Amino acid sequence: GGPASLSRFRGALVAAVLGDCVGGEFEGAEEVPMESVLQHLNSLDDETKGNGILEYSDDTAMARCVVQSLLTRTGFDEQDMARRFAKEYSASPGRGYGSGVIQVLKKLSSPQLSDVYQPARDQFNGRGSFGNGGAMRAAPFALAFPDLDDVKRFARLGAMLTHSCSLGYNGAVLQALAVHLSLQGALDLPQQFISRLITEMEEVEDDEATRSDARILKEADKPFCERLHRVRDLMDRSKVSIEEVISELGNGIAALHSVPTAIFCVLHCLQPRECLPENYGGLERTIAYSLALGGDTDTIACMAGAIAGAHYGIEAIPQSWMKCCEGAEDAHMNAERLHMLYHQSSQGG
Ligand code: F2R
Ligand code: MG
Ligand code: MG
């Protein structure tokens, strides 16, 4: 489809769910042989094995809250979104949430709470979380708002409901920007895509909160920009090992160690790779490669899935994969509603 087509919206939302569901198998594993990844993915094709449904985790649970809130309120409403996060957590606390964010979600359910951003500010002795929980649910912001400044502003505010450290919420901004650009077809020119992300993040990270957090955490002045430069260097190499990707970009639970990694997975898998089956298309390659990195596999595959899905569209997603993933059908339907909201907004309606 063309820029911002329905197929791209569906691709983004459904592939994010798939990444989460299939990635759950390996979350936290230090080493994941590609053979095990392919075995896991092949088993999704085999209906006779009765694999059952792969359940989604906190990544999708929170993204669904974001989607429902944006659709119901026809825009960003922090009170409504916070309420939905709290309600979802209390209804299904066993979705594998981060150990810190649970405190925020419990506080958000209090009727006495006047500032919905306060519980997030209190995390980690007032430093706030730098986890990737804001980024893992950021894709819907790119699917609701056509305007780039809105995408940046609302992805940031949406993340700040749980992640007040700039290394947490700026990861969400980067993820939403990547989905926004991919939706416009920007991955057709990968070098320009990464340059554009760097240019945007130069501006996003040009503030005192970022400088101060970066100093405290002993990171570069503009941590995400620095990582995106590493992504560009790795892209330019003809061969790169999984070990090098992990050591340069990371595969962990921090937004800084997972959002640039997810972006690299998408870029690296734009073309066929020796380690991946020849019959795999780009979307399948991206998901498989994300899982083979180990570490925070559900979240890296979820974020890479959203960016790749916005590029390849829904037609690139195997039906058999969709059938085994909890929430994939809902994502397919909600993508259509987001597509309408996006195009209403772009017409000024
Ligand atoms: N949590 C997981 N997976 C591991 C456990 C799964 C579960 N217990 C099970 O066994 O089933 N996955 C999910 O969490 C990640 C998103 O986490 P989020 O929402 O960012 O949470 P949190 O708690 O805010 O941050 C995560 C951890 O990062 C460290 N951290 C963050 N900020 C910190 C700071 N300022 N100082 C020190 N440490 C900080 C802490 O260890 C936090 O617990 C996704 O992977 C999702 O899939
Ligand atoms: Mg998860
Ligand atoms: Mg995870």
Side-chain angles (χ1 to χ4, degrees):
S5 64
L6 178 56
S7 168
R8 289 179 187 264
F9 275 67
R10 286 183 168 148
L13 217 55
V14 173
V17 174
L18 257 51
D20 178 19
C21 291
V22 301
E25 171 83 3
F26 304 107
E27 193 187 21
E30 243 177 63
E31 265 183 45
V32 182
M34 186 58 91
E35 211 186 311
S36 308
V37 169
L38 299 180
Q39 223 170 47
H40 180 48
L41 293 176
N42 285 342
S43 77
L44 308 181
D45 292 330
D46 191 349
E47 284 175 36
T48 56
K49 275 197 181 153
N51 231 354
I53 292 285
L54 296 174
E55 290 183 357
Y56 61 72
S57 77
D58 56 333
D59 306 50
T60 302
M62 295 196 88
R64 285 162 62 100
C65 295
V66 172
V67 168
Q68 288 305 337
S69 182
L70 294 172
L71 287 172
T72 311
R73 306 299 301 156
T74 56
F76 180 67
D77 174 340
E78 65 267 32
Q79 306 283 341
D80 181 76
M81 202 171 280
R83 243 192 325 268
R84 285 174 194 274
F85 288 157
K87 203 168 157 206
E88 169 60 34
Y89 173 70
S90 100
S92 293
R95 294 272 187 194
Y97 286 85
S99 51
V101 78
I102 288 171
Q103 307 309 318
V104 180
L105 298 172
K106 285 178 181 162
K107 290 183 193 171
L108 287 178
S109 67
S110 162
Q112 274 89 47
L113 187 71
S114 54
D115 178 358
V116 287
Y117 292 104
Q118 192 54 45
R121 286 190 209 109
D122 294 339
Q123 289 295 91
F124 300 99
N125 298 318
R127 293 192 307 275
S129 172
F130 53 61
N132 54 19
M136 73 190 184
R137 58 174 196 255
F141 291 99
L143 305 179
F145 300 105
D147 180 78
L148 185 78
D149 288 331
D150 286 344
V151 174
K152 290 194 277 189
R153 181 165 150 234
F154 296 127
R156 180 177 189 266
L157 288 170
M160 285 174 84
L161 289 168
T162 49
H163 292 67
S164 75
C165 177
S166 64
L167 275 90
Y169 61 72
N170 282 340
V173 174
L174 174 56
Q175 168 65 10
L177 278 171
V179 176
H180 170 86
L181 293 181
S182 178
L183 210 56
Q184 312 303 319
L187 276 166
D188 288 339
L189 298 167
Q191 289 293 343
Q192 285 185 22
F193 175 85
I194 192 75
S195 298
R196 182 80 194 277
L197 282 180
I198 293 173
T199 306
E200 291 297 336
M201 290 307 290
E202 282 282 350
E203 197 189 308
V204 168
E205 296 197 292
D206 186 17
D207 70 0
E208 196 38 50
T210 303
R211 278 186 285 277
S212 160
D213 289 338
R215 218 173 14 249
I216 294 165
L217 292 162
K218 298 192 170 45
E219 293 292 346
D221 263 5
K222 293 184 175 179
F224 284 99
C225 288
E226 193 250 356
R227 295 277 159 157
L228 289 171
H229 281 284
R230 291 190 200 186
V231 170
R232 181 146 70 184
D233 292 346
L234 288 174
M235 269 172 80
D236 291 343
R237 301 245 311 268
S238 56
K239 278 212 161 168
V240 50
S241 70
I242 282 196
E243 292 73 23
E244 286 172 291
V245 177
I246 298 169
S247 102
E248 285 295 303
L249 303 176
N251 62 358
I253 210 165
L256 189 63
H257 303 154
S258 51
V259 183
T261 312
I263 292 169
F264 175 76
C265 289
V266 179
L267 290 163
H268 186 70
C269 294
L270 286 170
Q271 42 189 298
R273 295 285 166 188
E274 245 174 50
C275 63
L276 290 160
E278 276 176 25
N279 64 329
Y280 269 20
L283 191 286
E284 292 146 293
R285 287 196 295 270
T286 306
I287 300 274
Y289 190 78
S290 306
L291 304 196
L293 295 181
D296 197 357
T297 47
D298 66 331
T299 305
I300 294 174
C302 170
M303 297 189 294
I307 304 165
H311 175 62
Y312 298 107
I314 191 68
E315 294 78 12
I317 299 179
Q319 282 286 327
S320 56
W321 292 19
M322 267 185 73
K323 275 193 206 148
C324 332
C325 294
E326 181 193 9
E329 250 180 61
D330 285 351
H332 195 268
M333 281 185 316
N334 284 331
E336 190 170 345
R337 298 175 64 200
L338 284 168
H339 181 254
M340 278 166 62
L341 176 66
Y342 179 104
H343 285 287
Q344 268 165 23
S345 313
S346 64
Q347 284 155 19

mmCIF file of all heavy atoms in Angstrom, residues 326-349:
data_model
loop_
_atom_site.group_PDB
_atom_site.id
_atom_site.type_symbol
_atom_site.label_atom_id
_atom_site.label_comp_id
_atom_site.label_asym_id
_atom_site.label_seq_id
_atom_site.Cartn_x
_atom_site.Cartn_y
_atom_site.Cartn_z
ATOM 1 N N GLU A 326 -2.833 -14.459 20.688
ATOM 2 C CA GLU A 326 -3.931 -13.794 21.401
ATOM 3 C C GLU A 326 -3.885 -12.286 21.067
ATOM 4 O O GLU A 326 -2.820 -11.679 21.110
ATOM 5 C CB GLU A 326 -3.743 -13.971 22.920
ATOM 6 C CG GLU A 326 -4.833 -13.344 23.755
ATOM 7 C CD GLU A 326 -4.471 -13.264 25.253
ATOM 8 O OE1 GLU A 326 -3.312 -13.533 25.625
ATOM 9 O OE2 GLU A 326 -5.367 -12.908 26.034
ATOM 10 N N GLY A 327 -5.004 -11.732 20.739
ATOM 11 C CA GLY A 327 -5.061 -10.282 20.529
ATOM 12 C C GLY A 327 -4.773 -9.847 19.105
ATOM 13 O O GLY A 327 -4.924 -8.665 18.775
ATOM 14 N N ALA A 328 -4.362 -10.792 18.223
ATOM 15 C CA ALA A 328 -4.027 -10.390 16.845
ATOM 16 C C ALA A 328 -5.276 -9.918 16.098
ATOM 17 O O ALA A 328 -5.240 -8.936 15.349
ATOM 18 C CB ALA A 328 -3.355 -11.541 16.108
ATOM 19 N N GLU A 329 -6.390 -10.621 16.311
ATOM 20 C CA GLU A 329 -7.627 -10.232 15.609
ATOM 21 C C GLU A 329 -8.116 -8.861 16.055
ATOM 22 O O GLU A 329 -8.541 -8.037 15.242
ATOM 23 C CB GLU A 329 -8.722 -11.263 15.903
ATOM 24 C CG GLU A 329 -9.057 -12.095 14.701
ATOM 25 C CD GLU A 329 -10.138 -13.103 15.022
ATOM 26 O OE1 GLU A 329 -11.245 -12.689 15.399
ATOM 27 O OE2 GLU A 329 -9.848 -14.310 14.905
ATOM 28 N N ASP A 330 -8.051 -8.627 17.364
ATOM 29 C CA ASP A 330 -8.443 -7.307 17.888
ATOM 30 C C ASP A 330 -7.567 -6.216 17.277
ATOM 31 O O ASP A 330 -8.045 -5.131 16.927
ATOM 32 C CB ASP A 330 -8.261 -7.242 19.420
ATOM 33 C CG ASP A 330 -9.346 -8.003 20.147
ATOM 34 O OD1 ASP A 330 -10.313 -8.434 19.493
ATOM 35 O OD2 ASP A 330 -9.212 -8.168 21.378
ATOM 36 N N ALA A 331 -6.268 -6.507 17.171
ATOM 37 C CA ALA A 331 -5.337 -5.522 16.608
ATOM 38 C C ALA A 331 -5.716 -5.206 15.162
ATOM 39 O O ALA A 331 -5.683 -4.054 14.729
ATOM 40 C CB ALA A 331 -3.904 -6.051 16.688
ATOM 41 N N HIS A 332 -6.112 -6.250 14.434
ATOM 42 C CA HIS A 332 -6.521 -6.086 13.036
ATOM 43 C C HIS A 332 -7.712 -5.124 12.946
ATOM 44 O O HIS A 332 -7.744 -4.212 12.100
ATOM 45 C CB HIS A 332 -6.876 -7.475 12.490
ATOM 46 C CG HIS A 332 -6.981 -7.537 11.004
ATOM 47 N ND1 HIS A 332 -8.174 -7.354 10.349
ATOM 48 C CD2 HIS A 332 -6.039 -7.744 10.048
ATOM 49 C CE1 HIS A 332 -7.966 -7.464 9.049
ATOM 50 N NE2 HIS A 332 -6.678 -7.688 8.839
ATOM 51 N N MET A 333 -8.666 -5.295 13.852
ATOM 52 C CA MET A 333 -9.866 -4.429 13.839
ATOM 53 C C MET A 333 -9.535 -3.010 14.309
ATOM 54 O O MET A 333 -9.971 -2.022 13.727
ATOM 55 C CB MET A 333 -10.945 -5.007 14.754
ATOM 56 C CG MET A 333 -11.687 -6.146 14.103
ATOM 57 S SD MET A 333 -13.047 -6.752 15.086
ATOM 58 C CE MET A 333 -12.430 -6.840 16.719
ATOM 59 N N ASN A 334 -8.769 -2.935 15.387
ATOM 60 C CA ASN A 334 -8.443 -1.604 15.936
ATOM 61 C C ASN A 334 -7.597 -0.770 14.972
ATOM 62 O O ASN A 334 -7.672 0.463 14.979
ATOM 63 C CB ASN A 334 -7.712 -1.745 17.276
ATOM 64 C CG ASN A 334 -8.686 -2.108 18.383
ATOM 65 O OD1 ASN A 334 -9.858 -1.753 18.316
ATOM 66 N ND2 ASN A 334 -8.210 -2.817 19.390
ATOM 67 N N ALA A 335 -6.794 -1.464 14.161
ATOM 68 C CA ALA A 335 -5.968 -0.738 13.190
ATOM 69 C C ALA A 335 -6.850 0.045 12.219
ATOM 70 O O ALA A 335 -6.531 1.168 11.817
ATOM 71 C CB ALA A 335 -5.080 -1.718 12.430
ATOM 72 N N GLU A 336 -7.980 -0.556 11.869
ATOM 73 C CA GLU A 336 -8.902 0.125 10.940
ATOM 74 C C GLU A 336 -9.477 1.384 11.595
ATOM 75 O O GLU A 336 -9.607 2.431 10.966
ATOM 76 C CB GLU A 336 -10.013 -0.844 10.531
ATOM 77 C CG GLU A 336 -10.836 -0.301 9.402
ATOM 78 C CD GLU A 336 -11.791 -1.331 8.803
ATOM 79 O OE1 GLU A 336 -11.632 -2.542 9.073
ATOM 80 O OE2 GLU A 336 -12.684 -0.899 8.069
ATOM 81 N N ARG A 337 -9.798 1.276 12.867
ATOM 82 C CA ARG A 337 -10.354 2.434 13.587
ATOM 83 C C ARG A 337 -9.291 3.536 13.741
ATOM 84 O O ARG A 337 -9.589 4.726 13.606
ATOM 85 C CB ARG A 337 -10.896 1.985 14.949
ATOM 86 C CG ARG A 337 -12.035 0.961 14.811
ATOM 87 C CD ARG A 337 -12.491 0.432 16.151
ATOM 88 N NE ARG A 337 -13.074 1.486 16.976
ATOM 89 C CZ ARG A 337 -13.201 1.417 18.298
ATOM 90 N NH1 ARG A 337 -12.796 0.350 18.945
ATOM 91 N NH2 ARG A 337 -13.739 2.415 18.976
ATOM 92 N N LEU A 338 -8.070 3.124 14.004
ATOM 93 C CA LEU A 338 -6.990 4.118 14.107
ATOM 94 C C LEU A 338 -6.735 4.785 12.750
ATOM 95 O O LEU A 338 -6.488 5.995 12.665
ATOM 96 C CB LEU A 338 -5.693 3.461 14.611
ATOM 97 C CG LEU A 338 -5.646 3.151 16.099
ATOM 98 C CD1 LEU A 338 -4.452 2.252 16.432
ATOM 99 C CD2 LEU A 338 -5.563 4.430 16.940
ATOM 100 N N HIS A 339 -6.821 3.992 11.706
ATOM 101 C CA HIS A 339 -6.631 4.507 10.347
ATOM 102 C C HIS A 339 -7.656 5.609 10.053
ATOM 103 O O HIS A 339 -7.319 6.665 9.484
ATOM 104 C CB HIS A 339 -6.770 3.339 9.362
ATOM 105 C CG HIS A 339 -6.567 3.697 7.922
ATOM 106 N ND1 HIS A 339 -7.603 3.791 7.029
ATOM 107 C CD2 HIS A 339 -5.439 4.001 7.223
ATOM 108 C CE1 HIS A 339 -7.129 4.120 5.836
ATOM 109 N NE2 HIS A 339 -5.824 4.253 5.924
ATOM 110 N N MET A 340 -8.898 5.380 10.490
ATOM 111 C CA MET A 340 -9.942 6.401 10.291
ATOM 112 C C MET A 340 -9.637 7.657 11.107
ATOM 113 O O MET A 340 -9.750 8.783 10.614
ATOM 114 C CB MET A 340 -11.315 5.838 10.688
ATOM 115 C CG MET A 340 -11.929 5.004 9.583
ATOM 116 S SD MET A 340 -13.316 4.015 10.158
ATOM 117 C CE MET A 340 -14.422 5.296 10.694
ATOM 118 N N LEU A 341 -9.256 7.456 12.368
ATOM 119 C CA LEU A 341 -8.944 8.600 13.240
ATOM 120 C C LEU A 341 -7.797 9.428 12.650
ATOM 121 O O LEU A 341 -7.866 10.667 12.589
ATOM 122 C CB LEU A 341 -8.563 8.081 14.637
ATOM 123 C CG LEU A 341 -8.115 9.120 15.669
ATOM 124 C CD1 LEU A 341 -9.274 10.053 16.020
ATOM 125 C CD2 LEU A 341 -7.611 8.439 16.956
ATOM 126 N N TYR A 342 -6.764 8.741 12.192
ATOM 127 C CA TYR A 342 -5.578 9.387 11.626
ATOM 128 C C TYR A 342 -5.965 10.241 10.415
ATOM 129 O O TYR A 342 -5.557 11.387 10.284
ATOM 130 C CB TYR A 342 -4.604 8.277 11.222
ATOM 131 C CG TYR A 342 -3.300 8.672 10.576
ATOM 132 C CD1 TYR A 342 -2.115 8.630 11.304
ATOM 133 C CD2 TYR A 342 -3.221 9.015 9.220
ATOM 134 C CE1 TYR A 342 -0.890 8.933 10.715
ATOM 135 C CE2 TYR A 342 -2.014 9.325 8.624
ATOM 136 C CZ TYR A 342 -0.847 9.282 9.377
ATOM 137 O OH TYR A 342 0.359 9.574 8.781
ATOM 138 N N HIS A 343 -6.777 9.638 9.533
ATOM 139 C CA HIS A 343 -7.114 10.367 8.308
ATOM 140 C C HIS A 343 -8.131 11.479 8.554
ATOM 141 O O HIS A 343 -8.106 12.493 7.851
ATOM 142 C CB HIS A 343 -7.523 9.396 7.198
ATOM 143 C CG HIS A 343 -6.325 8.687 6.624
ATOM 144 N ND1 HIS A 343 -5.416 9.304 5.798
ATOM 145 C CD2 HIS A 343 -5.846 7.428 6.820
ATOM 146 C CE1 HIS A 343 -4.440 8.454 5.482
ATOM 147 N NE2 HIS A 343 -4.688 7.301 6.093
ATOM 148 N N GLN A 344 -8.966 11.299 9.602
ATOM 149 C CA GLN A 344 -9.868 12.407 9.991
ATOM 150 C C GLN A 344 -9.021 13.588 10.451
ATOM 151 O O GLN A 344 -9.239 14.729 10.068
ATOM 152 C CB GLN A 344 -10.746 11.998 11.172
ATOM 153 C CG GLN A 344 -12.084 11.404 10.780
ATOM 154 C CD GLN A 344 -12.721 10.691 11.966
ATOM 155 O OE1 GLN A 344 -12.401 10.983 13.117
ATOM 156 N NE2 GLN A 344 -13.609 9.763 11.685
ATOM 157 N N SER A 345 -8.016 13.284 11.287
ATOM 158 C CA SER A 345 -7.152 14.353 11.826
ATOM 159 C C SER A 345 -6.378 15.032 10.710
ATOM 160 O O SER A 345 -6.209 16.245 10.707
ATOM 161 C CB SER A 345 -6.148 13.795 12.831
ATOM 162 O OG SER A 345 -6.785 12.957 13.730
ATOM 163 N N SER A 346 -5.881 14.215 9.736
ATOM 164 C CA SER A 346 -5.060 14.826 8.686
ATOM 165 C C SER A 346 -5.904 15.719 7.780
ATOM 166 O O SER A 346 -5.386 16.578 7.089
ATOM 167 C CB SER A 346 -4.314 13.768 7.879
ATOM 168 O OG SER A 346 -5.225 12.956 7.212
ATOM 169 N N GLN A 347 -7.256 15.499 7.808
ATOM 170 C CA GLN A 347 -8.134 16.381 7.018
ATOM 171 C C GLN A 347 -8.654 17.538 7.862
ATOM 172 O O GLN A 347 -9.556 18.263 7.462
ATOM 173 C CB GLN A 347 -9.314 15.572 6.465
ATOM 174 C CG GLN A 347 -8.909 14.699 5.295
ATOM 175 C CD GLN A 347 -9.813 13.494 5.130
ATOM 176 O OE1 GLN A 347 -10.927 13.478 5.648
ATOM 177 N NE2 GLN A 347 -9.342 12.491 4.430
ATOM 178 N N GLY A 348 -8.124 17.608 9.092
ATOM 179 C CA GLY A 348 -8.529 18.701 9.987
ATOM 180 C C GLY A 348 -9.911 18.503 10.571
ATOM 181 O O GLY A 348 -10.535 19.432 11.062
ATOM 182 N N GLY A 349 -10.440 17.239 10.521
ATOM 183 C CA GLY A 349 -11.805 16.974 11.012
ATOM 184 C C GLY A 349 -11.832 16.639 12.468
ATOM 185 O O GLY A 349 -10.862 16.601 13.155
#
